């Protein structure tokens, strides 16, 4: 196992990426916006198609703005949002403007109730806009569902939440329009990856403590067995000739799974915690192989 220092980011000679007008349209637990400089410094200079099987807020995807990409997630509403932005961004904006005008505590909880009503019928743009509205106005942007699949986060304490930002939505929609979007398991998402392609895995992190096992994306859990299966998938992709990059918690278990890969420890600020005193920098790892 090769453990490289953070100085690589400072000495890396690769050219800077062009600026992308697009950025994440939802807040997401474990989002990579603050880790982007470290991720960008460790990307391969060249690659074919870009794959991100645990899309979430897709901060790296939006920053890289790849010409050819596969973006996937097991959260059907998230992929539904991205699909709608790629085909009907104007419809999403119109409905978000309504939410912005109506926003109040009563409107939030009425909207959350309708979101969780399995009998409710939806137009795709309405569903997508509602996803953004709840995400932007809930407590800490903490998208969390219970075991029954119901979104249960209370309203956040915001003075002027960014419910509708048309230019940002249009930029995201333009990039998503040239992207293959899939709602599926990460293993299915990478079946088409070929030699020279880049696969970036950002899975639910291995818990640092017993009480830190938080899975907010879907009602499913991602435990030790899943982490082992992911490591096996990463190795098979490298054997196939793919370039692989992965982020996770810096734990002995994760380091043992990726023995033989390049592993860098990085610091990342984490702001989502009900106790403000427990927010701050945490140790993570960026793992690379195949280049």
């Amino acid at each position: 196992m090769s453990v490289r220092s953070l100085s690589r980011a400072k000495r890396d000679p690769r050219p800077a990426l062009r600026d992308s007008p697009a950025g994440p349209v939802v807040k997401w637990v474990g989002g990579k916006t603050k880790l982007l400089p470290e991720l960008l410094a460790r990307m391969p200079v060249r690659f074919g198609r870009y794959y991100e099987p645990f899309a979430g807020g897709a901060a790296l995807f939006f920053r890289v703005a790849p010409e050819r990409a596969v973006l996937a997630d097991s959260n059907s509403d998230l992929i539904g949002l991205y699909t709608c932005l790629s085909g009907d961004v104007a419809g999403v904006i119109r409905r978000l403007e309504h939410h912005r005008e109506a926003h109040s505590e009563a409107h939030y909880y009425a909207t959350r109730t309708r979101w969780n009503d399995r009998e409710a019928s939806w137009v795709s743009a309405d569903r997508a806009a509602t996803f953004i509205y709840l995400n932007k106005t809930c407590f800490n942007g903490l998208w969390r569902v219970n075991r029954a699949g119901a979104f249960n986060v209370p309203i956040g304490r915001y003075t002027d939440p960014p419910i509708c930002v048309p230019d940002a939505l249009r930029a995201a929609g333009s990039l998503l329009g040239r992207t293959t979007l899939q709602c599926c398991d990460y293993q299915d998402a990478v079946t088409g990856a070929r030699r020279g392609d880049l696969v970036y895995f950002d899975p639910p992190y291995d818990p640092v403590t017993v009480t830190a096992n938080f899975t907010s994306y879907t009602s499913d859990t991602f435990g030790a067995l899943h982490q082992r299966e992911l490591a096996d998938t990463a190795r098979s992709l490298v054997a196939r000739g793919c370039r692989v990059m992965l982020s996770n918690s810096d734990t002995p278990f994760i380091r043992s799974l990726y023995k033989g890969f390049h592993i860098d420890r990085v610091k990342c600020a984490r702001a989502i915690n009900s106790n403000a005193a427990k927010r701050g920098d945490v140790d993570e790892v960026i793992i690379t192989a195949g280049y």
Side-chain angles (χ1 to χ4, degrees):
M1 176 174 62
S2 173
V3 181
R4 295 171 294 176
S5 69
L6 287 177
S7 62
R8 172 179 172 177
K10 298 179 180 179
R11 67 174 184 266
D12 200 312
R14 71 193 67 198
L17 294 172
R18 67 185 184 279
D19 289 335
S20 170
V25 296
V26 291
K27 297 170 66 177
W28 211 250
V29 173
K32 290 298 173 287
T33 298
K34 294 181 179 179
L35 196 63
L36 282 179
E38 303 289 359
L39 292 170
L40 293 170
R42 290 164 177 80
M43 286 182 63
V45 176
R46 296 180 183 84
F47 55 88
R49 181 171 294 179
Y50 175 94
Y51 286 80
E52 190 167 340
F54 296 92
L60 184 60
F61 161 79
F62 283 117
R63 177 62 182 86
V64 174
E67 290 296 328
R68 297 183 299 141
V70 174
L71 199 63
D73 200 280
S74 60
N75 187 312
S76 59
D77 287 310
L78 180 66
I79 295 302
L81 163 62
Y82 290 155
T83 301
C84 197
L85 286 176
S86 71
D88 186 19
V89 67
V92 177
I93 291 171
R94 284 195 300 271
R95 287 162 176 82
L96 274 174
E97 288 172 342
H98 163 71
H99 283 299
R100 181 173 58 191
E101 294 171 1
H103 178 55
S104 65
E105 184 172 347
H107 179 71
Y108 175 87
Y109 285 108
T111 302
R112 191 183 75 170
T113 297
R114 181 167 183 256
W115 177 269
N116 290 327
D117 182 359
R118 298 183 184 277
E119 302 300 320
S121 60
W122 295 86
V123 175
S124 58
D126 189 16
R127 183 80 174 176
T130 301
F131 188 102
I132 294 176
Y133 169 68
L134 291 173
N135 176 264
K136 294 293 187 180
T137 56
C138 71
F139 180 74
N140 264 350
L142 184 67
W143 190 268
R144 179 188 64 209
V145 297
N146 59 24
R147 292 190 180 277
F151 174 72
N152 61 359
V153 182
I155 191 171
R157 302 180 183 91
Y158 304 110
T159 302
D160 185 22
I163 294 169
C164 184
V165 186
D167 287 347
L169 294 168
R170 293 188 190 102
S174 178
L175 177 55
L176 290 165
R178 65 172 190 250
T179 300
T180 299
L181 299 166
Q182 299 177 344
C183 179
C184 62
D185 178 84
Y186 73 90
Q187 292 172 320
D188 292 332
V190 299
T191 55
R194 298 290 181 262
R195 178 175 297 275
D197 290 344
L198 170 63
V199 181
Y200 170 54
F201 289 115
D202 182 27
Y205 277 18
D206 182 45
V208 178
T209 64
V210 174
T211 58
N213 193 8
F214 170 70
T215 54
S216 63
Y217 314 102
T218 68
S219 56
D220 300 322
T221 58
F222 199 90
L225 176 61
H226 300 92
Q227 296 286 1
R228 291 184 186 279
E229 291 174 344
L230 176 58
D232 290 342
T233 298
R235 292 184 187 281
S236 69
L237 286 167
V238 172
R240 199 187 302 174
C242 297
R243 295 153 166 78
V244 173
M245 182 164 69
L246 182 142
S247 49
N248 212 314
S249 303
D250 187 7
T251 65
F253 175 59
I254 293 300
R255 285 182 174 269
S256 70
L257 292 182
Y258 294 94
K259 185 177 181 180
F261 285 46
H262 295 299
I263 303 176
D264 288 347
R265 177 185 291 119
V266 296
K267 292 284 187 181
C268 186
R270 286 290 170 233
I272 294 182
N273 194 302
S274 58
N275 184 348
K278 294 184 179 180
R279 300 171 189 168
D281 290 347
V282 296
D283 286 337
E284 299 185 7
V285 288
I286 299 176
I287 300 167
T288 55
Y291 60 97

